[in-house]
Amino acid sequence: MMFPIRCFTCGALLADKWEEYKRRVAAGEPPGKVLDELGIKRYCCRRMFLSALEYIDEVLKYEKQVATRPTTY
């Protein structure tokens, strides 16, 4: 799934912070500290970052298989 542009609950803009969050967490920084430094204070917004999974690449593999499969009715 692609990361949402805005928080589902409060509507705050989040997408502009996603790449830096992902990069810093992958480098080994604690997620809570990164969120604090990025200015993400509300728990609803923090939830968006902590629960996000990027699985669009996995979904696209199946889409390619379905697109090439012959349809029979």
Side-chain angles (χ1 to χ4, degrees):
M1 179 176 194
M2 298 184 317
F3 192 75
I5 304 288
R6 295 188 175 272
C7 176
F8 293 153
T9 305
C10 71
L13 183 63
L14 300 176
D16 61 332
K17 299 166 184 71
W18 173 247
E19 291 297 325
E20 183 175 352
Y21 170 80
K22 189 170 61 168
R23 179 184 54 79
R24 290 175 63 180
V25 169
E29 289 187 55
K33 179 184 174 202
V34 175
L35 290 172
D36 289 340
E37 291 175 359
L38 289 175
I40 309 297
K41 302 292 183 193
R42 294 185 197 120
Y43 66 90
C44 59
C45 297
R46 293 171 81 89
R47 167 217 47 202
M48 299 295 289
F49 283 90
L50 296 174
S51 64
L53 295 176
E54 288 193 79
Y55 56 86
I56 190 70
D57 294 329
E58 296 296 320
V59 171
L60 288 177
K61 287 192 292 191
Y62 295 108
E63 189 273 333
K64 291 175 186 175
Q65 290 176 355
V66 170
T68 59
R69 184 176 62 194
T71 56
T72 56
Y73 294 101

